Amino acid sequence: LVASRDSKPTATVKVPPPPKPQTEPDTSEPEGPMRETSKDLPEPSSPDPIAKPEPPVDKGPPWIIVDAGHGGGDGGSVHNGIIEKNLTLDIAKRVEAHLKKAGLRVKMTRDKDVYVDLEERSEFANKNRAAAFVSIHLNANLTSSVSGLEVYYSPQKTLHAKRLLQAALKLDHIQGLEDGRSERLASAIQKHACEVSGARNRGIREKGYTVVIGSAMPAVLVECGFISNAAEASKIKTSSYRDNLAKGIARGVTTYLQAQAANPLRDIFLAEPKVETPPPDDFHGPPSPFEHGPPRPPVAPAPEDVPAVEDEGRPKAA
């Protein structure tokens, strides 16, 4: 009720709070050991924000990086109606399909018509800790009669790639490191690609391409034929021939990985570590006369040791 202005004020009545329901005490046993609240207990240490956790071990199938050469504004060679960047992407996708069919995992440096910097391609492979890097290209020559398939490799690696390789294989040092694995991978790809496609075998060749020396894993560059040769260009234009090339390349990769799995350090060559020794004393010159302090004045002989000197003009003393 609301009191009017003319009504007399009434006393406020305080309503006591409702009584709390009576509950029986909990006599059940605790489910686990109770945590002590003593102030003497050390507080749990927080993880170091600077320390980086070790990456989890990948127990899945190996990763293979397939690199389609050129792309975007870099068309590569153009001969006999073929633009290199287009067919390298087609062959690379076919290699990807055959490798996946063999049970391997594959990543492409590009899967469309874009340009990727050369250093980015090899670094992409390093970040993914790939087991092999395969770059697909098509060749050309001023002499139109030249034909055949070539695979390039290099035993040399950049310093960055050597450091990554040292960490991956737990090497003691990298002095004189040469990676012979790339040569063996090149031989396997060359053999199987030529057998399956029927291409002329021009052998494997050593050359320090950027994508090859910058990759910490076995890396090769495959020249799948000369589009400057009219006959070979006609074969490369056919889908079946490109598929045979891709099938042979994939077979070479799987054959190499199967053999390498038994001994991951095979074909890794290191020089004997150099032990630094101090230079010989000859390099420091003759010893300093003040090496053991300033020179001391000569010691005069004792008086009794001085022989008597006769004076002819004077008589001898008695």
Side-chain angles (χ1 to χ4, degrees), residues 5-121:
R5 293 182 179 179
D6 299 334
S7 61
K8 296 180 180 181
T10 58
T12 303
V13 180
K14 296 183 179 180
V15 180
K20 296 183 180 180
Q22 296 293 330
T23 58
E24 296 182 359
D26 186 7
T27 58
S28 61
E29 293 289 337
E31 296 183 357
M34 299 182 64
R35 184 177 178 181
E36 298 181 4
T37 58
S38 172
K39 296 182 180 180
D40 297 334
L41 293 177
E43 296 183 358
S45 59
S46 59
D48 187 0
I50 301 178
K52 296 182 180 179
E54 289 291 332
V57 178
D58 189 353
K59 297 182 180 180
W63 281 104
I64 309 300
I65 304 301
V66 180
D67 172 47
H70 307 284
D74 178 13
S77 299
V78 180
H79 292 274
N80 292 307
I82 296 177
I83 301 176
E84 183 182 359
K85 69 173 183 177
N86 296 333
L87 292 192
T88 56
L89 181 58
D90 178 86
I91 297 172
K93 288 183 176 180
R94 294 173 187 269
V95 173
E96 176 191 22
H98 285 292
L99 288 172
K100 287 183 176 180
K101 188 176 180 180
L104 298 173
R105 295 181 292 182
V106 184
K107 287 188 178 182
M108 305 272 290
T109 57
R110 70 178 183 98
D111 56 3
K112 55 186 177 182
D113 187 17
V114 294
Y115 177 75
V116 182
D117 189 74
L118 297 179
E119 286 79 8
E120 290 181 7
R121 300 176 191 237

Side-chain angles (χ1 to χ4, degrees), residues 219-279:
V220 296
L221 186 146
V222 185
E223 294 282 6
C224 296
F226 286 80
I227 58 177
S228 54
N229 182 285
E232 193 159 48
S234 298
K235 291 192 295 183
I236 294 174
K237 287 179 181 179
T238 64
S239 176
S240 59
Y241 185 78
R242 295 196 303 273
D243 197 64
N244 285 335
L245 283 172
K247 186 184 299 183
I249 293 171
R251 187 175 298 177
V253 173
T254 55
T255 301
Y256 166 79
L257 291 178
Q258 290 171 357
Q260 192 71 16
N263 183 10
L265 292 176
R266 183 179 67 165
D267 300 320
I268 296 292
F269 305 104
L270 296 172
E272 290 295 332
K274 295 180 180 180
V275 180
E276 295 185 359
T277 56

Side-chain angles (χ1 to χ4, degrees), residues 149-152 190 194 200-205:
L149 191 144
E150 302 171 344
V151 181
Y152 288 86
Q190 180 77 9
C194 291
R200 180 190 173 195
N201 190 335
R202 289 178 56 86
I204 63 174
R205 300 165 185 262

Side-chain angles (χ1 to χ4, degrees), residues 65 89 142 187 189 280 293:
I65 304 301
L89 181 58
L142 295 176
S187 298
I189 291 177

Side-chain angles (χ1 to χ4, degrees), residues 65 120-130 133 215 217:
I65 304 301
E120 290 181 7
R121 300 176 191 237
S122 57
E123 191 58 28
F124 177 75
N126 293 334
K127 289 181 179 179
N128 284 280
R129 301 186 178 186
F133 176 94
S215 303
M217 70 292 307

